[in-house]
Amino acid sequence: MSKLYFRYGAMNSGKSTALLQAAYNYEERSQHVLLAKPAIDSKGDRKIVSRLGVTREVDFLVEPKDNLRELFKAHRDSQTDSNEIACLLIDEAQFLTPDQVDQALELAVIDKVPVLAYGIRTDFQTKSFPGSRRLLEIAHSLEELKTICRCGRKAMFNGRVINGTFTFDGEQVAIDGDHVSYESLCASCYLEKKQVI
């Protein structure tokens, strides 16, 4: 049986690198994959961008209104070896809608196509993204990709930095730009930056 996988971690835990490595591993064995990401992730435009400098163009972008299963099938059918798609790899899966996560499960179970979704669990306020919440609820397999905080402990939170200052207010989504960045933090450093400690 094919499965829905959710591989999650704090910012800078190597999620995009792991996705690109998975794609490479399939293709090294002459298996075809499709890569996708939500269109809201404007970083890299139509590319998956790894911090290590590796990039790759996605096969399709997913808009909030799209049916993921139908979109996958349309792109699969446009391939020359349409029945040969070994899996669907999704970057920034936290930006999927809950319905799209349900459609990813349908792809895995009904269409027998493994779906490997990579993303973060929570935002800079430690609140789960709707897509991540649904993935945590229904994925067959959950795998945490780990990274470390500046203090050396396991990072589990994502701190938002605007103009060099940590902020804890604002919209849930603010894609990296000139003035917005993120830092992976352990619980102690997160609470310290939030001035709780």
Side-chain angles (χ1 to χ4, degrees):
M1 177 179 90
S2 295
K3 296 180 180 179
L4 171 60
Y5 299 84
F6 183 36
R7 296 178 176 162
Y8 65 90
M11 300 288 290
N12 303 322
S13 60
K15 297 175 298 300
S16 297
T17 302
L19 180 151
L20 294 171
Q21 181 67 50
Y24 178 85
N25 290 345
Y26 273 98
E27 291 168 343
E28 186 178 43
R29 290 158 184 82
S30 300
Q31 296 185 24
H32 302 289
V33 299
L34 288 179
L35 278 68
K37 73 175 187 174
I40 192 172
D41 177 34
S42 58
K43 180 180 65 192
D45 296 318
R46 292 187 54 88
K47 293 182 179 171
I48 294 173
V49 179
S50 161
R51 286 183 305 127
L52 298 181
V54 180
T55 64
R56 178 165 168 176
E57 187 139 343
V58 296
D59 294 289
F60 60 93
L61 296 173
V62 183
E63 296 285 349
K65 63 180 178 4
D66 289 337
N67 179 305
L68 180 65
R69 191 172 174 210
E70 291 174 6
L71 198 56
F72 170 84
K73 287 179 178 183
H75 282 81
R76 179 198 61 198
D77 294 346
S78 71
Q79 302 289 315
T80 53
D81 298 322
S82 64
N83 293 323
E84 300 292 325
I85 302 299
C87 75
L88 172 62
L89 298 154
I90 304 171
D91 198 28
E92 305 294 350
Q94 70 271 10
F95 297 134
L96 295 174
T97 67
D99 286 343
Q100 289 168 338
V101 173
D102 289 347
Q103 294 153 10
L105 179 67
E106 292 168 7
L107 263 170
V109 175
I110 298 170
D111 301 312
K112 300 183 181 5
V113 176
V115 178
L116 287 71
Y118 294 78
I120 57 178
R121 285 182 315 154
T122 60
D123 65 14
F124 71 107
Q125 296 175 323
T126 71
K127 294 184 171 63
S128 61
F129 286 92
S132 297
R133 182 182 312 116
R134 192 67 181 137
L135 281 159
L136 289 166
E137 292 168 343
I138 67 171
H140 293 96
S141 174
L142 301 172
E143 179 184 347
E144 182 179 16
L145 303 175
K146 297 174 180 72
T147 191
I148 58 169
C149 177
R150 59 171 64 183
C151 70
R153 287 180 278 219
K154 176 186 157 193
M156 55 189 288
F157 297 120
N158 305 299
R160 180 181 287 172
V161 181
I162 298 179
N163 296 323
T165 303
F166 281 91
T167 184
F168 299 90
D169 296 313
E171 296 294 318
Q172 185 173 49
V173 177
I175 304 297
D176 293 345
D178 292 339
H179 305 290
V180 178
S181 63
Y182 293 88
E183 183 177 337
S184 304
L185 300 167
C186 71
S188 294
C189 290
Y190 180 87
L191 293 174
E192 179 184 315
K193 293 295 180 190
K194 197 172 178 184
Q195 298 182 343
V196 174
I197 295 178

